[in-house]
Amino acid sequence: LEAMLCLVFLAIILIAVPLFALAYGTTRVIAPGLTLGLVMFAVPLQTPIWIFYRRMDYMKQRTLQALEPLTGFVLAVSLAVAGFGFWALVIGQVAGSWIAALAAMRASPYKLRFRRVGNKMREYVSFSWPLLLGSASGVLVAQVPILVAQRVDGVTAVAAVTLAGTIAVYASHMDDVVTNTIYPAICAAKDRADLLFESFTKSNRMALLWGMPVGIGIALFTPDLVHYVIGDKWRFAVPLVQIFGLIAGLNQIGFNWSAFYRAVGNTRPLAVQGVLMVLITLGLAVPLLITDGIEGFGIGMAAATYLSVCTRVYFLGKLFPGFDLVSHIAKALVPALAAGALVLLLRQVDGGLPGVASALLELAAFVGTVAGATVATQRPLMREFVGYMRRAGSPAPA
């Protein structure tokens, strides 16, 4: 099934790459884009990695997964130094994928061969088509604004959108780690409604305790980051990055809901949210990008994210009757809001410190307040998670 799906995507690549070349007005992307299609043949051979994920053998899983980025990075940098240009990135990506595939095949406890799926095909299709539609919606939400930005405002607008998205993605890192770690356990407990609800609330609170401070911190410290680190040539992107930071923090509310719907086998709500996000982005954010530039686009994406959060809260109420959003996020907001308020207060007090020293003092105050308030308000939750990590290093009981 994975091989069949990858062949479909390979066909899409063969069609889409020339179309993207036409849309961006350059033929230079065709050859590297088609060459990257070779990765599609390596992806099915990496499926043995799933076995170790299901077993929650994360050391083996991550070791095999690390081969692709590490090999690709070393090879790409070496070829770039040797003068291969952007082809260094292409060759590094393809080579990394194939090395990881060969290692996964060697580590597989089962012999790889094609097997007849039989009547399972209908079940797989029913489960997977909403996920495919949701993924396609994500591609449209990411790509259409960039294409429009290039046509309307040129490469500077594309750079601003890309920078904002790159920085804002750090707000979701905690959720990625926690949710991906517990997902096999969620699937094993899919018939235990009480355990699923406990898993959701605690894991999402952990994500909020990270995502909210990161989002607010991006909004507060982006001007300093641009001025002292990235360079003032990026000052035009500051408002959009700040908006995207707040969006990223807001988006952490119920962010891991999809894992629980996938665990119980109901993936259609994910397709519904994906389609709604596309409609709002194309119907509101993109028009604002055309009329008001990147700041208008940021406002449009904020509205789209708000409606997306409302949609997932609605579906969470269906999955977990009696889900109380206010009490769920209230305590998680305290550290971020307290730290943000302290930084704003410090900025009202002129201490006579030079710019860099003042920025570092504010950053230290922000991080310290977040850490202290988190420990003070979330001590039981933090103690529970620390206990899980300690037990992870101990042998499991018989």
Side-chain angles (χ1 to χ4, degrees), residues 22 36 113 126 214 263 297-298 321 358-359:
L22 181 64
L36 284 170
R113 64 180 176 86
S126 175
V214 171
F297 173 66
S358 178

Side-chain angles (χ1 to χ4, degrees), residues 33-294:
L34 296 180
T35 303
L36 284 170
L38 295 173
V39 171
M40 288 295 101
F41 294 104
V43 170
L45 302 179
Q46 296 183 21
T47 51
I49 297 176
W50 302 351
I51 300 166
F52 305 105
Y53 182 41
R54 180 185 175 94
R55 294 176 176 177
M56 302 182 79
D57 184 356
Y58 297 122
M59 179 62 72
K60 188 72 172 179
Q61 176 205 0
R62 294 304 187 188
T63 299
L64 292 171
Q65 286 181 326
L67 289 174
E68 180 174 350
L70 290 178
T71 303
F73 174 78
V74 172
L75 186 58
V77 171
S78 301
L79 293 175
V81 172
F84 277 70
F86 64 81
W87 276 101
L89 301 174
V90 177
I91 297 172
Q93 177 67 49
V94 174
S97 297
W98 275 97
I99 289 175
L102 295 174
M105 292 173 60
R106 182 178 178 84
S108 176
Y110 308 114
K111 183 179 179 181
L112 266 67
R113 64 180 176 86
F114 290 110
R115 293 171 171 82
R116 291 184 60 185
V117 181
N119 59 3
K120 280 286 184 180
M121 178 65 77
R122 179 177 298 178
E123 178 184 345
Y124 282 123
V125 171
S126 175
F127 180 86
S128 299
W129 75 258
L131 299 179
L132 184 61
L133 182 58
S135 298
S137 300
V139 173
L140 290 175
V141 169
Q143 285 295 325
V144 171
I146 291 179
L147 288 171
V148 173
Q150 185 191 35
R151 295 293 183 181
V152 175
D153 294 324
V155 70
T156 55
V158 174
V161 174
T162 304
L163 178 66
T166 301
I167 294 177
V169 76
Y170 285 98
S172 66
H173 279 6
M174 176 62 75
D175 183 87
D176 293 338
V177 171
V178 173
T179 303
N180 289 334
T181 301
I182 68 173
Y183 182 66
I186 294 173
C187 294
K190 63 183 180 180
D191 297 323
R192 292 276 309 275
D194 57 334
L195 193 55
L196 285 182
F197 182 67
E198 180 184 2
S199 301
F200 165 74
T201 53
K202 290 183 177 179
S203 61
N204 190 233
R205 279 169 59 195
M206 285 295 295
L208 285 166
L209 288 171
W210 168 268
M212 283 293 186
V214 171
I216 292 176
I218 291 171
L220 288 172
F221 295 104
T222 292
D224 295 323
L225 176 67
V226 169
H227 182 64
Y228 297 113
V229 180
I230 301 178
D232 285 329
K233 63 182 180 180
W234 287 95
R235 185 167 295 278
F236 69 94
V238 168
L240 184 63
V241 176
Q242 290 177 310
I243 294 173
F244 267 49
L246 295 176
I247 289 174
L250 173 67
N251 200 35
Q252 290 306 299
I253 299 174
F255 186 75
N256 59 344
W257 73 293
S258 61
F260 293 84
Y261 263 97
R262 282 186 281 122
V264 299
N266 182 9
T267 55
R268 296 194 178 193
L270 312 184
V272 172
Q273 191 202 35
V275 171
L276 286 175
M277 193 69 181
V278 170
L279 293 177
I280 299 168
T281 301
L282 300 184
L284 179 62
V286 171
L288 285 175
L289 172 62
I290 296 172
T291 58
D292 298 310
I294 56 176

